[in-house]
Coordinates of all heavy atoms in Angstrom, one line a residue:
M131 N 8.6 7.5 11.7 CA 7.4 7.3 12.5 C 7.1 5.8 12.5 O 7.2 5.1 11.5 CB 6.2 8.0 11.9 CG 4.9 7.8 12.6 SD 3.4 8.5 11.9 CE 3.9 9.7 10.8
T132 N 6.7 5.2 13.6 CA 6.3 3.8 13.8 C 4.9 3.7 14.2 O 4.5 4.3 15.2 CB 7.2 3.1 14.8 OG1 8.6 3.3 14.4 CG2 6.9 1.7 14.9
L133 N 4.1 2.9 13.5 CA 2.7 2.6 13.8 C 2.5 1.1 13.8 O 1.5 0.6 13.5 CB 1.8 3.3 12.9 CG 1.8 4.8 12.8 CD1 1.0 5.3 11.6 CD2 1.2 5.4 14.1
T134 N 3.5 0.4 14.2 CA 3.5 -1.1 14.1 C 2.4 -1.7 14.9 O 2.1 -1.3 16.0 CB 4.9 -1.6 14.7 OG1 5.9 -1.0 14.0 CG2 4.9 -3.1 14.5
A135 N 1.7 -2.6 14.2 CA 0.6 -3.4 14.7 C -0.5 -2.5 15.2 O -1.3 -2.9 16.0 CB 1.0 -4.3 15.8
T136 N -0.6 -1.3 14.7 CA -1.6 -0.4 15.1 C -2.9 -0.6 14.2 O -2.8 -0.8 13.0 CB -1.1 1.1 14.9 OG1 0.0 1.3 15.7 CG2 -2.2 2.1 15.2
G137 N -4.0 -0.5 14.8 CA -5.3 -0.6 14.1 C -5.8 0.8 13.8 O -6.3 1.5 14.7
I138 N -5.6 1.3 12.5 CA -6.1 2.6 12.1 C -7.1 2.4 11.0 O -7.1 3.2 10.1 CB -5.0 3.6 11.8 CG1 -4.0 3.0 10.8 CG2 -4.3 4.0 13.1 CD1 -2.9 4.0 10.4
S139 N -7.8 1.3 11.0 CA -8.7 1.0 9.9 C -9.7 2.1 9.7 O -10.1 2.7 10.6 CB -9.3 -0.4 10.1 OG -10.1 -0.4 11.2
A140 N -10.1 2.3 8.4 CA -11.1 3.2 8.0 C -10.7 4.7 8.3 O -11.5 5.6 8.2 CB -12.5 2.9 8.7
A141 N -9.4 4.9 8.4 CA -8.9 6.3 8.6 C -8.9 7.0 7.3 O -8.8 6.3 6.2 CB -7.5 6.3 9.3
A142 N -8.9 8.3 7.3 CA -8.7 9.1 6.1 C -7.3 9.7 6.0 O -7.1 10.6 6.8 CB -9.8 10.2 6.0
L143 N -6.4 9.1 5.3 CA -5.1 9.6 5.2 C -4.7 10.0 3.7 O -3.6 9.8 3.2 CB -4.1 8.5 5.6 CG -4.3 8.1 7.1 CD1 -3.4 6.8 7.4 CD2 -3.9 9.2 8.0
H144 N -5.8 10.5 3.0 CA -5.7 10.9 1.7 C -4.5 11.9 1.5 O -4.4 12.9 2.2 CB -7.0 11.6 1.2 CG -7.0 12.1 -0.1 ND1 -7.1 11.3 -1.2 CD2 -7.0 13.4 -0.6 CE1 -7.1 12.1 -2.3 NE2 -7.0 13.4 -1.9
K145 N -3.6 11.6 0.6 CA -2.4 12.4 0.3 C -1.4 12.6 1.4 O -0.7 13.6 1.5 CB -2.8 13.8 -0.3 CG -3.5 13.7 -1.7 CD -3.7 15.0 -2.3 CE -4.4 14.9 -3.6 NZ -4.6 16.1 -4.3
A146 N -1.5 11.7 2.4 CA -0.6 11.8 3.5 C 0.9 11.5 3.1 O 1.1 10.7 2.2 CB -1.0 10.9 4.6
N147 N 1.8 12.1 3.8 CA 3.2 11.7 3.5 C 3.7 10.8 4.6 O 3.9 11.2 5.7 CB 4.1 13.0 3.5 CG 5.6 12.7 3.2 OD1 5.9 11.5 2.9 ND2 6.4 13.7 3.2
L148 N 3.7 9.5 4.3 CA 4.0 8.4 5.2 C 5.3 7.8 4.8 O 5.6 6.6 5.1 CB 2.9 7.4 5.3 CG 1.6 8.0 5.9 CD1 0.5 6.9 5.8 CD2 1.7 8.4 7.3
R149 N 6.2 8.5 4.1 CA 7.5 8.0 3.6 C 8.3 7.6 4.8 O 8.3 8.2 5.9 CB 8.2 9.2 2.9 CG 9.5 8.7 2.3 CD 10.1 9.9 1.5 NE 11.3 9.4 0.9 CZ 12.0 10.0 0.0 NH1 11.5 11.2 -0.5 NH2 13.1 9.5 -0.5
N150 N 8.9 6.4 4.6 CA 9.8 5.8 5.6 C 9.1 5.5 6.9 O 9.8 5.4 8.0 CB 11.0 6.8 5.9 CG 11.9 7.0 4.7 OD1 12.2 6.1 3.9 ND2 12.2 8.3 4.5
T151 N 7.8 5.2 6.9 CA 7.1 4.9 8.1 C 7.0 3.4 8.3 O 6.9 2.6 7.4 CB 5.6 5.4 8.0 OG1 5.7 6.8 7.8 CG2 4.8 5.2 9.2
D152 N 7.1 2.9 9.5 CA 7.0 1.5 9.9 C 5.6 1.2 10.2 O 5.0 1.6 11.2 CB 7.9 1.2 11.1 CG 7.9 -0.2 11.5 OD1 7.1 -1.0 10.9 OD2 8.6 -0.6 12.4
L153 N 4.9 0.5 9.2 CA 3.5 0.1 9.4 C 3.4 -1.4 9.3 O 2.3 -1.9 9.0 CB 2.7 0.8 8.3 CG 2.5 2.3 8.3 CD1 1.9 2.8 7.0 CD2 1.6 2.7 9.5
H154 N 4.5 -2.1 9.5 CA 4.4 -3.6 9.4 C 3.4 -4.1 10.4 O 3.4 -3.7 11.6 CB 5.7 -4.2 9.5 CG 6.3 -4.5 10.8 ND1 7.0 -3.5 11.5 CD2 6.2 -5.5 11.6 CE1 7.4 -4.0 12.6 NE2 6.9 -5.2 12.8
G155 N 2.5 -5.0 9.9 CA 1.5 -5.6 10.8 C 0.3 -4.7 11.1 O -0.6 -5.2 11.8
A156 N 0.3 -3.5 10.6 CA -0.8 -2.6 10.9 C -2.1 -3.0 10.2 O -2.1 -3.6 9.1 CB -0.4 -1.2 10.5
D157 N -3.2 -2.8 10.9 CA -4.6 -3.0 10.4 C -5.0 -1.7 9.7 O -5.4 -0.8 10.3 CB -5.5 -3.4 11.5 CG -6.9 -3.8 11.0 OD1 -7.2 -3.6 9.7 OD2 -7.7 -4.3 11.8
L158 N -4.9 -1.7 8.4 CA -5.3 -0.5 7.6 C -6.5 -0.8 6.7 O -6.8 -0.1 5.7 CB -4.1 -0.1 6.7 CG -2.9 0.3 7.4 CD1 -1.7 0.3 6.5 CD2 -3.1 1.6 8.1
R159 N -7.3 -1.8 7.1 CA -8.5 -2.1 6.4 C -9.4 -0.9 6.1 O -9.6 -0.1 7.0 CB -9.4 -3.1 7.2 CG -9.3 -4.5 6.8 CD -10.2 -5.3 7.7 NE -9.6 -5.3 9.1 CZ -9.6 -6.4 9.8 NH1 -10.3 -7.5 9.4 NH2 -9.0 -6.4 11.0
N160 N -9.8 -0.8 4.8 CA -10.7 0.3 4.4 C -10.2 1.7 4.6 O -11.0 2.6 4.7 CB -12.1 0.1 5.0 CG -12.7 -1.2 4.7 OD1 -12.7 -1.7 3.6 ND2 -13.2 -1.9 5.7
T161 N -8.9 1.9 4.8 CA -8.3 3.2 5.0 C -8.2 3.9 3.6 O -7.8 3.2 2.6 CB -7.0 3.0 5.7 OG1 -7.2 2.4 6.9 CG2 -6.3 4.4 5.8
N162 N -8.4 5.2 3.6 CA -8.2 5.9 2.3 C -6.8 6.5 2.3 O -6.5 7.5 3.0 CB -9.2 7.1 2.2 CG -9.1 7.8 0.9 OD1 -8.2 7.6 0.1 ND2 -10.0 8.8 0.7
L163 N -5.9 5.9 1.5 CA -4.5 6.3 1.4 C -4.3 6.8 -0.1 O -3.2 6.9 -0.5 CB -3.6 5.1 1.6 CG -3.4 4.7 3.1 CD1 -2.8 3.4 3.2 CD2 -2.7 5.8 3.9
S164 N -5.4 7.2 -0.7 CA -5.3 7.7 -2.1 C -4.3 8.8 -2.2 O -4.4 9.8 -1.4 CB -6.7 8.1 -2.6 OG -7.5 7.0 -2.7
G165 N -3.4 8.8 -3.2 CA -2.5 9.9 -3.4 C -1.4 10.0 -2.3 O -0.6 11.0 -2.4
A166 N -1.3 9.1 -1.4 CA -0.3 9.2 -0.4 C 1.1 8.8 -0.9 O 1.3 8.1 -1.9 CB -0.7 8.2 0.8
N167 N 2.1 9.3 -0.2 CA 3.5 8.9 -0.4 C 3.9 7.9 0.6 O 4.0 8.2 1.8 CB 4.4 10.2 -0.3 CG 5.8 9.9 -0.6 OD1 6.2 8.7 -0.8 ND2 6.7 10.9 -0.6
L168 N 4.1 6.7 0.1 CA 4.4 5.5 0.9 C 5.8 5.0 0.5 O 6.1 3.8 0.7 CB 3.4 4.4 0.9 CG 2.0 4.8 1.4 CD1 1.0 3.7 1.1 CD2 2.0 5.1 2.9
R169 N 6.7 5.8 0.0 CA 8.0 5.4 -0.4 C 8.8 4.9 0.8 O 8.8 5.5 1.8 CB 8.7 6.6 -1.1 CG 10.1 6.1 -1.6 CD 10.9 7.3 -2.2 NE 12.2 6.9 -2.5 CZ 12.6 6.7 -3.8 NH1 11.8 7.0 -4.8 NH2 13.8 6.3 -4.0
N170 N 9.4 3.8 0.6 CA 10.3 3.1 1.6 C 9.5 2.8 2.9 O 10.1 2.7 4.0 CB 11.5 4.0 2.0 CG 12.4 4.2 0.9 OD1 12.7 3.2 0.2 ND2 12.9 5.4 0.6
T171 N 8.2 2.7 2.8 CA 7.4 2.3 4.0 C 7.3 0.8 4.1 O 7.2 0.1 3.2 CB 5.9 2.9 3.8 OG1 6.0 4.3 3.7 CG2 5.0 2.5 4.9
D172 N 7.4 0.4 5.4 CA 7.3 -1.0 5.7 C 5.9 -1.4 6.0 O 5.3 -1.1 7.0 CB 8.2 -1.4 6.9 CG 8.2 -2.9 7.2 OD1 7.5 -3.6 6.6 OD2 9.0 -3.2 8.1
L173 N 5.3 -2.1 5.0 CA 3.9 -2.5 5.1 C 3.9 -4.1 5.1 O 2.8 -4.7 4.9 CB 3.1 -2.0 3.9 CG 2.8 -0.5 3.8 CD1 2.5 -0.1 2.4 CD2 1.7 -0.2 4.8
S174 N 5.0 -4.7 5.5 CA 5.0 -6.1 5.5 C 4.0 -6.7 6.6 O 4.0 -6.1 7.7 CB 6.4 -6.6 5.8 OG 6.9 -6.1 7.0
G175 N 3.2 -7.6 6.1 CA 2.3 -8.2 7.0 C 1.1 -7.3 7.4 O 0.2 -7.7 8.2
A176 N 1.0 -6.2 6.7 CA -0.2 -5.3 7.0 C -1.4 -5.8 6.4 O -1.4 -6.5 5.4 CB 0.2 -3.9 6.5
I177 N -2.6 -5.5 7.0 CA -3.9 -5.8 6.4 C -4.4 -4.6 5.6 O -4.7 -3.6 6.2 CB -4.9 -6.2 7.5 CG1 -4.3 -7.4 8.4 CG2 -6.2 -6.5 7.0 CD1 -5.1 -7.6 9.6
L178 N -4.4 -4.8 4.3 CA -4.8 -3.7 3.4 C -6.0 -4.0 2.7 O -6.3 -3.4 1.6 CB -3.6 -3.4 2.5 CG -2.3 -2.9 3.1 CD1 -1.1 -3.0 2.2 CD2 -2.5 -1.5 3.6
S179 N -6.8 -4.9 3.1 CA -8.0 -5.3 2.4 C -9.0 -4.2 2.3 O -9.2 -3.5 3.3 CB -8.7 -6.6 3.0 OG -9.0 -6.3 4.3
G180 N -9.5 -3.9 1.1 CA -10.4 -2.8 1.0 C -9.9 -1.4 1.1 O -10.6 -0.4 1.0
T181 N -8.5 -1.3 1.2 CA -7.9 0.0 1.3 C -7.8 0.7 0.0 O -7.6 0.1 -1.1 CB -6.4 -0.2 1.9 OG1 -6.6 -0.8 3.2 CG2 -5.7 1.1 2.0
Y182 N -8.0 2.0 0.0 CA -7.9 2.8 -1.2 C -6.5 3.3 -1.4 O -6.1 4.2 -0.7 CB -8.9 4.0 -1.2 CG -10.3 3.5 -1.1 CD1 -11.0 3.4 0.1 CD2 -11.0 3.1 -2.2 CE1 -12.3 3.0 0.2 CE2 -12.3 2.7 -2.1 CZ -12.9 2.6 -0.9 OH -14.2 2.2 -0.8
L183 N -5.8 2.7 -2.4 CA -4.4 3.1 -2.6 C -4.3 3.7 -4.0 O -3.2 3.7 -4.7 CB -3.5 1.9 -2.5 CG -3.4 1.3 -1.1 CD1 -2.9 -0.1 -1.1 CD2 -2.4 2.2 -0.3
R184 N -5.4 4.2 -4.5 CA -5.5 4.8 -5.9 C -4.5 6.0 -6.0 O -4.4 6.8 -5.1 CB -6.9 5.3 -6.1 CG -7.1 5.9 -7.5 CD -8.6 6.3 -7.6 NE -9.5 5.1 -7.8 CZ -9.8 4.6 -8.9 NH1 -9.4 5.1 -10.1 NH2 -10.6 3.6 -9.0
D185 N -3.7 5.9 -7.0 CA -2.7 7.0 -7.3 C -1.6 7.2 -6.2 O -1.1 8.3 -6.0 CB -3.4 8.3 -7.6 CG -4.3 8.2 -8.8 OD1 -3.9 7.6 -9.8 OD2 -5.4 8.8 -8.8
T186 N -1.4 6.1 -5.4 CA -0.4 6.2 -4.3 C 0.9 5.8 -4.8 O 1.1 4.9 -5.7 CB -0.9 5.2 -3.2 OG1 -2.2 5.7 -2.7 CG2 0.1 5.2 -2.1
Y187 N 2.0 6.4 -4.3 CA 3.4 6.1 -4.6 C 3.9 5.1 -3.6 O 4.0 5.5 -2.4 CB 4.2 7.4 -4.7 CG 5.6 7.1 -5.1 CD1 5.9 6.6 -6.4 CD2 6.7 7.2 -4.2 CE1 7.2 6.3 -6.8 CE2 8.0 6.9 -4.6 CZ 8.2 6.4 -5.9 OH 9.5 6.1 -6.3
L188 N 4.2 3.9 -4.1 CA 4.7 2.9 -3.2 C 6.1 2.4 -3.5 O 6.6 1.3 -3.2 CB 3.8 1.7 -3.2 CG 2.4 1.9 -2.5 CD1 1.3 1.2 -3.3 CD2 2.5 1.4 -1.1
G189 N 6.9 3.3 -4.2 CA 8.3 2.9 -4.6 C 9.1 2.4 -3.4 O 9.2 3.1 -2.4
D190 N 9.8 1.3 -3.6 CA 10.6 0.7 -2.6 C 9.9 0.3 -1.3 O 10.6 0.1 -0.3 CB 11.8 1.6 -2.3 CG 12.7 1.8 -3.5 OD1 13.1 0.9 -4.2 OD2 13.0 3.0 -3.8
A191 N 8.6 0.3 -1.3 CA 7.9 -0.2 -0.1 C 8.0 -1.7 0.1 O 8.2 -2.4 -0.9 CB 6.4 0.2 -0.2
L192 N 8.0 -2.1 1.3 CA 8.1 -3.5 1.7 C 6.7 -4.0 1.9 O 6.0 -3.5 2.8 CB 8.9 -3.7 3.0 CG 10.3 -3.2 3.0 CD1 10.9 -3.4 4.3 CD2 11.1 -4.0 1.9
L193 N 6.3 -4.9 1.0 CA 4.9 -5.5 1.1 C 4.8 -7.0 1.3 O 3.8 -7.6 1.1 CB 4.2 -5.1 -0.2 CG 3.9 -3.6 -0.4 CD1 3.7 -3.2 -1.8 CD2 2.7 -3.2 0.4
Y194 N 6.0 -7.5 1.7 CA 6.0 -9.0 1.9 C 4.9 -9.4 2.9 O 4.9 -8.9 4.0 CB 7.4 -9.4 2.4 CG 7.5 -10.9 2.7 CD1 7.7 -11.8 1.6 CD2 7.4 -11.4 3.9 CE1 7.7 -13.1 1.8 CE2 7.4 -12.8 4.2 CZ 7.6 -13.6 3.1 OH 7.7 -15.0 3.3
G195 N 4.1 -10.3 2.5 CA 3.0 -10.8 3.4 C 1.9 -9.9 3.6 O 1.0 -10.2 4.4
A196 N 1.8 -8.7 2.9 CA 0.7 -7.8 3.1 C -0.5 -8.4 2.5 O -0.5 -9.1 1.4 CB 1.0 -6.5 2.5
Y197 N -1.7 -8.3 3.1 CA -2.9 -8.8 2.7 C -3.7 -7.7 1.9 O -4.1 -6.7 2.4 CB -3.8 -9.2 3.9 CG -5.0 -10.0 3.6 CD1 -5.0 -11.2 3.0 CD2 -6.3 -9.4 3.8 CE1 -6.2 -11.9 2.7 CE2 -7.4 -10.0 3.5 CZ -7.4 -11.3 3.0 OH -8.6 -11.9 2.7
L198 N -3.8 -7.9 0.6 CA -4.3 -6.9 -0.4 C -5.7 -7.2 -1.0 O -6.1 -6.6 -1.9 CB -3.3 -6.7 -1.5 CG -2.0 -6.0 -1.0 CD1 -0.9 -6.2 -2.1 CD2 -2.2 -4.6 -0.7
L199 N -6.4 -8.2 -0.5 CA -7.6 -8.6 -1.1 C -8.6 -7.4 -1.2 O -9.0 -6.8 -0.2 CB -8.3 -9.7 -0.2 CG -9.6 -10.2 -0.8 CD1 -9.4 -11.0 -2.1 CD2 -10.3 -11.2 0.2
G200 N -8.9 -7.1 -2.4 CA -9.9 -6.0 -2.7 C -9.3 -4.6 -2.6 O -10.0 -3.6 -2.7
A201 N -8.0 -4.5 -2.3 CA -7.4 -3.1 -2.2 C -7.4 -2.5 -3.6 O -7.2 -3.1 -4.6 CB -5.9 -3.2 -1.7
D202 N -7.7 -1.2 -3.7 CA -7.8 -0.5 -4.9 C -6.4 0.1 -5.3 O -6.0 1.1 -4.7 CB -8.8 0.6 -4.9 CG -9.0 1.3 -6.2 OD1 -8.3 1.1 -7.2 OD2 -9.9 2.2 -6.3
L203 N -5.7 -0.5 -6.2 CA -4.4 -0.1 -6.6 C -4.4 0.6 -8.0 O -3.4 0.8 -8.6 CB -3.4 -1.3 -6.7 CG -3.2 -2.1 -5.5 CD1 -2.4 -3.4 -5.7 CD2 -2.5 -1.3 -4.4
S204 N -5.6 1.1 -8.4 CA -5.7 1.8 -9.6 C -4.8 3.0 -9.7 O -4.8 3.9 -8.8 CB -7.1 2.3 -9.8 OG -8.0 1.2 -9.8
G205 N -3.9 3.1 -10.7 CA -3.0 4.2 -10.8 C -1.9 4.3 -9.9 O -1.1 5.2 -9.9
A206 N -1.8 3.3 -9.0 CA -0.7 3.3 -8.0 C 0.7 3.0 -8.7 O 0.7 2.2 -9.7 CB -1.0 2.2 -6.9
D207 N 1.7 3.5 -8.1 CA 3.1 3.2 -8.6 C 3.7 2.2 -7.7 O 4.1 2.5 -6.6 CB 3.9 4.5 -8.6 CG 5.3 4.3 -9.3 OD1 5.7 3.2 -9.4 OD2 5.9 5.3 -9.7
L208 N 3.8 1.0 -8.2 CA 4.3 -0.2 -7.4 C 5.7 -0.6 -7.9 O 6.1 -1.7 -7.5 CB 3.3 -1.3 -7.5 CG 1.9 -1.0 -7.0 CD1 0.9 -1.9 -7.5 CD2 1.9 -1.0 -5.5
R209 N 6.3 0.2 -8.7 CA 7.7 -0.2 -9.1 C 8.6 -0.3 -8.0 O 8.5 0.4 -7.0 CB 8.2 0.8 -10.2 CG 7.3 0.7 -11.5 CD 7.7 1.8 -12.4 NE 7.3 3.1 -11.9 CZ 7.4 4.2 -12.6 NH1 8.0 4.2 -13.7 NH2 7.0 5.3 -12.1
D210 N 9.5 -1.3 -8.1 CA 10.5 -1.5 -7.0 C 10.0 -1.9 -5.7 O 10.5 -1.6 -4.6 CB 11.5 -0.3 -6.9 CG 12.2 0.0 -8.2 OD1 12.7 -0.9 -8.8 OD2 12.3 1.2 -8.5
T211 N 8.8 -2.6 -5.7 CA 8.3 -3.2 -4.5 C 8.5 -4.7 -4.6 O 8.9 -5.3 -5.6 CB 6.8 -2.9 -4.4 OG1 6.1 -3.6 -5.4 CG2 6.5 -1.5 -4.3
D212 N 8.2 -5.4 -3.5 CA 8.4 -6.9 -3.4 C 7.1 -7.6 -3.5 O 6.9 -8.7 -3.0 CB 9.2 -7.3 -2.2 CG 8.5 -6.9 -0.9 OD1 7.5 -6.1 -1.0 OD2 9.0 -7.3 0.2
L213 N 6.1 -7.0 -4.2 CA 4.8 -7.7 -4.4 C 4.9 -9.0 -5.2 O 5.7 -9.1 -6.1 CB 3.9 -6.7 -5.2 CG 3.1 -5.7 -4.5 CD1 2.3 -4.8 -5.5 CD2 2.2 -6.2 -3.4
T214 N 4.1 -9.9 -4.8 CA 4.0 -11.1 -5.6 C 2.8 -11.0 -6.6 O 1.9 -10.2 -6.4 CB 3.7 -12.3 -4.7 OG1 2.4 -12.2 -4.1 CG2 4.8 -12.5 -3.6
K215 N 2.8 -11.9 -7.6 CA 1.8 -11.9 -8.6 C 0.4 -12.2 -7.9 O -0.6 -11.7 -8.2 CB 2.1 -12.9 -9.7 CG 1.1 -12.9 -10.8 CD 1.6 -13.8 -11.9 CE 0.7 -13.5 -13.1 NZ 1.4 -13.4 -14.4
Q216 N 0.5 -13.1 -6.9 CA -0.7 -13.5 -6.1 C -1.3 -12.3 -5.4 O -2.5 -12.1 -5.4 CB -0.4 -14.6 -5.1 CG -1.6 -15.1 -4.3 CD -1.3 -16.2 -3.4 OE1 -0.1 -16.5 -3.2 NE2 -2.3 -16.7 -2.7
Q217 N -0.5 -11.4 -4.8 CA -1.0 -10.2 -4.1 C -1.6 -9.3 -5.1 O -2.7 -8.7 -4.9 CB 0.2 -9.5 -3.4 CG 0.7 -10.2 -2.2 CD 1.9 -9.5 -1.6 OE1 2.9 -9.4 -2.3 NE2 1.8 -9.0 -0.4
V218 N -1.0 -9.1 -6.3 CA -1.5 -8.2 -7.3 C -2.9 -8.7 -7.8 O -3.8 -8.0 -8.0 CB -0.5 -8.0 -8.5 CG1 -1.2 -7.3 -9.6 CG2 0.7 -7.3 -8.0
N219 N -3.0 -10.0 -8.0 CA -4.2 -10.6 -8.5 C -5.3 -10.5 -7.5 O -6.5 -10.6 -7.9 CB -4.0 -12.1 -8.9 CG -3.1 -12.2 -10.2 OD1 -3.0 -11.2 -11.0 ND2 -2.5 -13.4 -10.4
S220 N -5.1 -10.4 -6.3 CA -6.1 -10.3 -5.3 C -6.6 -8.8 -5.1 O -7.6 -8.6 -4.4 CB -5.7 -10.8 -3.9 OG -4.7 -10.0 -3.3
A221 N -5.9 -7.9 -5.7 CA -6.3 -6.5 -5.6 C -6.9 -6.0 -6.9 O -7.0 -6.7 -7.9 CB -5.0 -5.7 -5.3
V222 N -7.4 -4.7 -6.8 CA -8.1 -4.1 -8.0 C -7.0 -3.3 -8.7 O -6.4 -2.4 -8.0 CB -9.2 -3.2 -7.6 CG1 -9.8 -2.5 -8.7 CG2 -10.3 -4.0 -6.8
T223 N -6.8 -3.5 -9.9 CA -5.8 -2.7 -10.7 C -6.5 -2.3 -12.0 O -7.5 -2.7 -12.4 CB -4.5 -3.6 -11.1 OG1 -4.9 -4.7 -11.8 CG2 -3.8 -4.0 -9.8
D224 N -5.8 -1.4 -12.7 CA -6.3 -0.9 -14.0 C -5.1 -0.7 -14.9 O -3.9 -0.9 -14.5 CB -7.2 0.3 -13.9 CG -6.5 1.6 -13.4 OD1 -5.3 1.6 -13.3 OD2 -7.3 2.5 -13.2
S225 N -5.3 -0.2 -16.1 CA -4.2 0.0 -17.0 C -3.2 1.1 -16.6 O -2.1 1.2 -17.1 CB -4.8 0.4 -18.4 OG -5.5 1.6 -18.3
S226 N -3.6 1.9 -15.6 CA -2.7 3.0 -15.1 C -1.8 2.5 -13.9 O -1.0 3.3 -13.5 CB -3.4 4.3 -14.8 OG -4.3 4.0 -13.7
T227 N -2.1 1.3 -13.4 CA -1.3 0.8 -12.3 C 0.1 0.4 -12.9 O 0.2 -0.3 -13.8 CB -1.9 -0.5 -11.7 OG1 -3.3 -0.2 -11.3 CG2 -1.2 -1.0 -10.5
R228 N 1.1 1.0 -12.2 CA 2.5 0.7 -12.7 C 3.1 -0.4 -11.8 O 3.4 -0.2 -10.6 CB 3.3 2.0 -12.6 CG 2.8 3.0 -13.6 CD 3.4 4.4 -13.5 NE 3.2 5.1 -12.3 CZ 2.0 5.7 -12.0 NH1 1.0 5.7 -12.8 NH2 1.9 6.4 -10.8
L229 N 3.3 -1.5 -12.4 CA 3.9 -2.7 -11.7 C 5.3 -3.0 -12.1 O 5.7 -2.8 -13.3 CB 3.0 -3.9 -12.1 CG 1.6 -3.9 -11.7 CD1 0.8 -5.0 -12.4 CD2 1.4 -3.9 -10.2
W230 N 6.1 -3.4 -11.2 CA 7.5 -3.9 -11.4 C 8.2 -2.9 -12.3 O 9.1 -3.0 -13.0 CB 7.5 -5.3 -11.9 CG 6.8 -6.2 -11.0 CD1 7.3 -6.7 -9.8 CD2 5.5 -6.8 -11.1 NE1 6.4 -7.5 -9.2 CE2 5.3 -7.6 -10.0 CE3 4.5 -6.7 -12.1 CZ2 4.1 -8.3 -9.8 CZ3 3.4 -7.4 -11.9 CH2 3.2 -8.2 -10.7

């Protein structure tokens, strides 16, 4: 599925299966993606500020250039992603967030 450069901000996609979806450049501000499966999803350049990614699986997701200011990554699985330390530091994490 491709939603490139689509503005779906503030949508409720709780527990959605978006595996292998092309979301690069998408405006996902304040979207609820809690518990979603985003494995192998292209989120490069996406705007994820204020997005709820709590307990979301992001294994092998492409996050290069994604804007994560204030995104809630609590409990998210971010192993095998291309996140930078700066991106992680701009987001909300907790002890259950799985990094690298």
Side-chain angles (χ1 to χ4, degrees):
M131 177 185 344
T132 301
L133 297 170
T134 305
T136 299
I138 53 177
S139 63
L143 298 170
H144 177 74
K145 294 189 178 181
N147 184 2
L148 297 172
R149 184 177 180 167
N150 299 316
T151 301
D152 182 354
L153 293 168
H154 82 272
D157 183 352
L158 298 166
R159 258 180 288 219
N160 302 313
T161 299
N162 183 356
L163 289 164
S164 297
N167 180 356
L168 296 171
R169 182 182 176 109
N170 294 319
T171 297
D172 184 354
L173 291 160
S174 56
I177 302 169
L178 298 164
S179 59
T181 298
Y182 298 96
L183 294 160
R184 185 178 285 267
D185 300 318
T186 298
Y187 182 68
L188 289 144
D190 297 313
L192 300 174
L193 292 157
Y194 179 79
Y197 186 70
L198 293 165
L199 182 66
D202 185 354
L203 299 174
S204 304
D207 188 340
L208 300 158
R209 293 175 287 184
D210 299 318
T211 65
D212 59 352
L213 275 177
T214 65
K215 188 171 188 139
Q216 182 179 7
Q217 286 172 301
V218 172
N219 289 341
S220 71
V222 176
T223 59
D224 66 9
S225 61
S226 65
T227 304
R228 292 172 298 284
L229 300 167
W230 302 284

